Amino acid sequence: DAKKLVRSPSGLRMVPEHRAARSPFGLDEPPWVPDKECPRCMQCDTKFDFITRKHHCRRCGKCFCDKCCSKKVPLPRMCFVDPVRQCAECALVSQKETEFYDKQLKVLMNGATFFVTLGTSDKSELMVCRLSNNQRYLVLDGDSHYEIEIIQISTVQILTEGFTPGGGNTRAVGMILQYKVPGSDEVMQMKFTAGEDFTCNKKLSAAWLAAMHKATKLLYESRDQ
């Protein structure tokens, strides 16, 4: 998908030429709180004057003094080219998301192998599951081929094993995915199960499922914005 460089009050952004091509994990830039509505820092209540200047957090749009909004942190969910100024609370959230973009997103794009069961069928098919490079589709390849648009996914349930009443460790072994069929109200379900045979790397499958769980959280946050 073609992209273009745009400048906003918050900084330079590399965004898709067409809004329909944007990542489903992306966030829109927030409107800035007007200067006239924030005579004081919205964190420490310091009064703004000639010496104490106001700054807007690029993630939440609120108004802060330099001390409360001094960090410049990458914000890939808004497609910023360079790190941008954020308040302490937003900077912490953005720093946690950096791991997803630096590591887990690559895991999803590289893919993993699962036995996939469609609907209520009692038959499963060995398929390689991966996230498309534009982050918009979940692609499944085996004897069959499916492409599920990420924005059509309604629920994701991660399946685990190893839980004990005493609080033992668990690991992800599969997931149940529900998604809407475009153009209808029909909801389809797929079950993904990590294979037991030598063709399936269970460690890789577990890492892929953990990344999918994080991706789902970001997807829900994008919808709620």
Side-chain angles (χ1 to χ4, degrees):
D1 295 312
K3 294 186 177 183
K4 60 183 179 181
L5 190 65
V6 298
R7 180 182 293 277
S8 74
S10 299
L12 287 173
R13 303 169 65 218
M14 185 64 74
V15 301
E17 284 194 358
H18 303 288
R19 184 174 176 83
R22 61 173 284 182
S23 167
F25 307 116
L27 295 175
D28 291 328
E29 284 188 81
W32 283 10
V33 175
D35 287 349
K36 62 182 180 181
E37 294 181 12
C38 52
R40 296 177 177 272
C41 174
M42 300 179 78
Q43 177 63 41
C44 70
D45 204 38
T46 297
K47 186 177 181 179
F48 295 123
D49 54 28
F50 182 75
I51 297 175
T52 306
R53 302 186 62 185
K54 62 187 64 174
H55 302 277
H56 286 87
C57 172
R58 272 50 174 172
R59 186 179 181 110
C60 68
K62 294 180 181 179
C63 215
F64 303 92
C65 67
D66 183 69
K67 183 179 179 181
C68 294
C69 194
S70 61
K71 292 186 177 181
K72 289 192 175 182
V73 179
L75 187 47
R77 292 186 73 184
M78 291 185 189
C79 302
F80 284 111
V81 174
D82 301 308
V84 290
R85 187 185 292 269
Q86 298 176 57
C87 66
E89 183 178 349
C90 287
L92 185 61
V93 175
S94 294
Q95 286 169 343
K96 290 180 179 179
E97 290 173 354
T98 298
E99 181 183 357
F100 173 77
Y101 279 88
D102 288 348
K103 299 178 181 179
Q104 294 166 321
L105 194 58
K106 295 175 183 177
V107 170
L108 290 174
M109 290 178 177
N110 288 336
T113 305
F114 297 92
F115 284 102
V116 179
T117 306
L118 182 61
T120 57
S121 173
D122 57 358
K123 295 181 179 180
S124 60
E125 180 179 341
L126 190 63
M127 308 188 81
V128 175
C129 307
R130 63 178 179 84
L131 185 68
S132 64
N133 290 336
N134 62 12
Q135 305 170 21
R136 294 173 56 211
Y137 295 91
L138 187 61
V139 181
L140 289 70
D141 276 312
D143 291 336
S144 305
H145 176 83
Y146 299 97
E147 292 187 9
I148 302 171
E149 196 169 6
I150 295 296
I151 61 172
Q152 299 295 339
I153 295 175
S154 53
T155 61
V156 175
Q157 178 187 354
I158 302 297
L159 306 175
T160 60
E161 69 176 14
F163 176 78
T164 63
N169 292 330
T170 63
R171 61 172 178 152
V173 294
M175 73 175 179
I176 295 177
L177 181 78
Q178 291 185 327
Y179 63 96
K180 294 181 180 179
V181 178
S184 76
D185 294 328
E186 184 180 6
V187 176
M188 299 292 291
Q189 177 172 296
M190 282 185 172
K191 182 178 181 180
F192 299 68
T193 308
E196 298 288 346
D197 62 356
F198 68 95
T199 63
C200 297
N201 185 324
K202 297 194 76 171
K203 185 176 181 180
L204 177 62
S205 299
W208 193 92
L209 289 166
M212 188 65 186
H213 184 243
K214 177 63 176 178
T216 303
K217 287 185 176 180
L218 297 185
L219 180 64
Y220 292 157
E221 288 174 14
S222 297
R223 290 173 176 172
D224 292 340
Q225 187 190 48

